[in-house]
Amino acid sequence: MKESGIANEWGVLAEGQPLTPQQVEEKARHYLAQMTLDEKIHQMSGDKSLLMGGIQQYLAYNASPIHAGENTRLGIPGVRFSDGPRGVVMYHSTCFPVSMGRGASWDPELEERVGDAIGVEVRTQGANLFAGVCINLLRHPAWGRAQETYGEDPFHLGEMGAALVRGVQRHVMACVKHYALNSLENMRHKVDVQVDERTLHEIYLPHFKRCIEEGAAAVMSAYNKVNGVYCGHNPHLLRDILKGEWGFQGFVMSDFLWGIYDAAAAIEGGLDMEMPFSLHYRAHLKKLVKKGAVPESWIDDAVLRILRQKLRFAGVGEPGRYTKEAVCSPEHIALARQAAVRCMVLLKNDRLPGAGAPLLPLNPAQVRKLAVIGALANQPNIGDHGSSRVRPPHVVTPLEGIFDAVEPETEILYNNGKDPLSAAAAARGANAVVVVVGFTSRDEGEFESLKREGGDRRSLTLHPADETLILTVTEANPRTVVVLMGGSAVVTDNWRQQVPSILMAWYPGMEGGHALADILFGRENPSAKLPCAFPRADTQLPTFSPEATNICYDLLHGYRLMDRNGEEAAFPFGFGLSYTSFTLSNLQLEKDRLGPEDVLRASLDVTNTGDRPGSEVIQLYFGYAQSKIERSPKELKGFQRIHLLPGETKRVEIAVPVEHLSYYNAERHAWTVEAGTCRVYMGNSSAWKDLLSAEFTIESNM
Ligand code: BGC
């Protein structure tokens, strides 16, 4: 690996000295003016042909960056693409928990640090663009690639995605994907998603806009169609909204290979770069320009967008950090462990009959025989095997993490759980039992149609054998903790009542086993909150079919839909327990009458009423019961993580511009603030019972 950075290649700048926006503009135009039409078109796609690039990708998928638009005559470096999001897909990079787990941390500051580490590893390995900012909204938890995104709520997604962009872009360009409405896997190349303008603007796009505001350099179009038009050809998404309404200055690249089908449609739609090979654009754009079917100004606009971002990042960087040792450094491994601790959601932790305290945390001094059960306890399980696959030098399994954590006198009885009766026998003699069950890359992930692996989940419940195992083992020994692995919600209704403690571990990355043991034995206090509701049954969710070729996405899904239908999730969005307890009190609004341009400030006291330090995530929702149109009964508009010592009280204030409470008025093509009475809800989960509330009035429309 060589020390790299486009700064050195351009030969114009030192790292750490970015060009001003004016210099970027001047230089971009200067380079454009010197280019032939062929050179311009060359900027606009991957450098390799389908044959050459295809062979390279087939032999070593993701082993090295994919180059696009290098121009040696003018000394213009190419874009060098690498992927994520749970780390860098090249070489033996650090493997963090999957994004859905990081979403559960509700911790943008931590996510920014993860982004910083990823940015360093991307750049050290010769790439200058990281395409792992995946922020598709989780409309339904069966989506095969759910693990690559942060959750179901647009506000939360936007904050987490923006944090990753901030961290990564200290070092390299970030690409936000897949724009837009890509949340069905098996039929992603075919499905046509129908959506109305209001739903599009309010639910499926705000998080993309948020990342654009954060300065993301690039956007990747999705494979699917939206309202009948492929996203890579879609002028409404790309030209009207992204580049028009939001004023995006960066470039749009296609998703790989089947991202566009027709050069004229793609350039007209606003697609600037075809990836990963030179295919349609190289074969057709010149002819289209020559015969007047495509104005050269469209080509110039695309090339300028690409050049601007290359130049903008030319001087970006932190000299000295891009050394070979930075990849999977001890600091990054420690960060992966910290992120894994913060991602694990304690869903249930009951007292057993006759016991003084809940089952967790286990006391290492008292557990002398611990049964660890389940095949997943003893296997590296870090997520899908598609384009997001990371290959870290090691993965700590749950069993290894537990081995490392227990005292020398503790006996670990491992049983793979294949035979529930033998597992029950192991459990019977133990002080406590940890059962690890869930999903793997075979059950969910990017769809590998040839291997029939991955893809959308067929069921939200566990495999029947896992459910039998849980019930048999719990009956043999009620002191049982169930640890779940997977990329999104699990329906637990067949066994939840019988089990005292449940911990959602997601795919927790290379240090997952250590993090799990940290939590099981109370060295760390869980603080994560669900980034998607765990329903009681599929019937609480919108319809979903892995075979769908046509589907309508409407305004309500997840907690919004359950609220509207008066239903409760098994575990609500925003919910997660701690080993300590918190009380919330004294909700106050700075003002209870506000104009549409004001900022609403809500605050409350949070007290740690338990006997351990702990962190809590305070969430702020709004409801518009008196609205003239249908609105979600509540929607998230703010959150904040705080840390409290035992007995400590802190006041938490969250500020929200009233403008953010607007709805999208499709007839006027405008965001509209409605005058009237609204309610603010503040608490530590989205469940009504966990929220304090206060009324306020918006005095006029806007
Ligand atoms: C995925 C993208 C990914 C690309 C390159 C595609 O199959 O949909 O998310 O960035 O491959 O690896």
Side-chain angles (χ1 to χ4, degrees), residues 57 61-62 66 81-84 89 131-132 134 145 148 177-178 182 185 188-189 220-221 223 253-258 276 386-388 446:
Q57 283 292 295
Y61 185 50
N62 278 342
I66 292 162
F81 173 108
S82 190
D83 224 329
V89 293
C134 177
R145 295 180 74 179
E148 291 186 54
K177 68 189 185 185
H178 310 80
N182 175 338
E185 177 56 11
R188 63 182 170 161
H189 297 292
M220 183 190 284
S221 59
Y223 284 127
M253 70 171 71
S254 69
D255 200 343
F256 279 29
L257 211 47
W258 296 280
S387 62
S388 74
E446 204 162 348

Side-chain angles (χ1 to χ4, degrees), residues 1-16 65 67 70 75-80 119-129 170-173 309-323:
M1 280 175 292
K2 65 177 170 74
E3 167 104 8
S4 66
I6 48 181
N8 306 334
E9 296 161 68
W10 286 89
V12 283
L13 282 167
E15 278 169 21
H67 292 234
E70 185 177 356
I76 301 173
V79 164
R80 295 190 301 271
V120 168
E121 296 195 14
V122 168
R123 183 155 171 169
T124 304
Q125 297 179 74
N128 60 17
L129 179 142
R170 284 195 206 127
H171 311 285
V172 293
M173 296 179 258
Q309 296 308 316
K310 290 180 181 176
L311 285 158
R312 175 181 158 211
F313 281 84
V316 164
E318 297 175 14
R321 287 190 70 189
Y322 313 114
T323 60

Side-chain angles (χ1 to χ4, degrees), residues 5-35 43 68-69 74-80 123 128-129 169 171-173 215 217 249-251 273 300 302-317:
I6 48 181
N8 306 334
E9 296 161 68
W10 286 89
V12 283
L13 282 167
E15 278 169 21
Q17 292 175 6
L19 295 170
T20 63
Q22 198 193 338
Q23 288 170 318
V24 166
E25 195 58 36
E26 278 166 16
K27 284 189 187 292
R29 289 186 184 277
H30 164 81
Y31 282 110
L32 180 76
Q34 295 176 62
M35 284 181 180
Q43 287 293 300
L74 296 172
I76 301 173
V79 164
R80 295 190 301 271
R123 183 155 171 169
N128 60 17
L129 179 142
Q169 292 204 157
H171 311 285
V172 293
M173 296 179 258
Q249 296 294 313
F251 62 93
M273 183 186 282
D300 287 353
V303 175
L304 272 176
R305 287 172 174 277
I306 296 164
L307 288 174
R308 278 191 202 110
Q309 296 308 316
K310 290 180 181 176
L311 285 158
R312 175 181 158 211
F313 281 84
V316 164

Side-chain angles (χ1 to χ4, degrees), residues 486-619:
S488 74
V490 180
V491 168
T492 54
D493 271 45
N494 292 338
W495 51 271
R496 186 174 68 245
Q497 304 305 338
Q498 281 85 325
V499 172
S501 297
I502 309 172
L503 188 67
M504 181 69 199
W506 316 102
Y507 298 111
M510 64 187 294
E511 283 290 305
H514 283 148
L516 176 65
D518 289 341
I519 287 185
L520 290 176
F521 293 107
R523 256 187 255 123
E524 297 277 1
N525 192 352
S527 59
K529 303 278 179 177
L530 289 179
C532 57
F534 279 30
R536 291 174 191 276
D538 294 38
T539 48
Q540 294 185 311
L541 302 172
T543 52
F544 181 93
S545 159
E547 280 80 38
T549 51
N550 213 294
I551 190 163
C552 177
Y553 282 16
D554 36 36
L555 195 62
L556 302 177
H557 69 284
Y559 72 86
R560 291 168 156 81
L561 183 62
M562 290 186 220
D563 278 352
R564 201 270 314 266
N565 294 343
E567 295 192 10
E568 281 179 12
F571 299 110
F573 174 79
F575 170 81
L577 299 169
S578 161
Y579 294 152
T580 187
S581 49
F582 299 97
T583 55
L584 311 181
S585 58
N586 199 15
L587 170 64
Q588 276 175 1
L589 300 184
E590 184 197 43
K591 289 195 259 171
D592 60 6
R593 300 192 72 81
L594 295 106
E597 283 163 10
D598 287 344
V599 173
L600 178 136
R601 290 176 204 284
S603 56
L604 51 60
D605 289 327
V606 188
T607 304
N608 180 345
T609 47
D611 55 7
R612 290 170 178 261
S615 295
E616 185 57 302
V617 178
I618 301 303
Q619 304 154 38

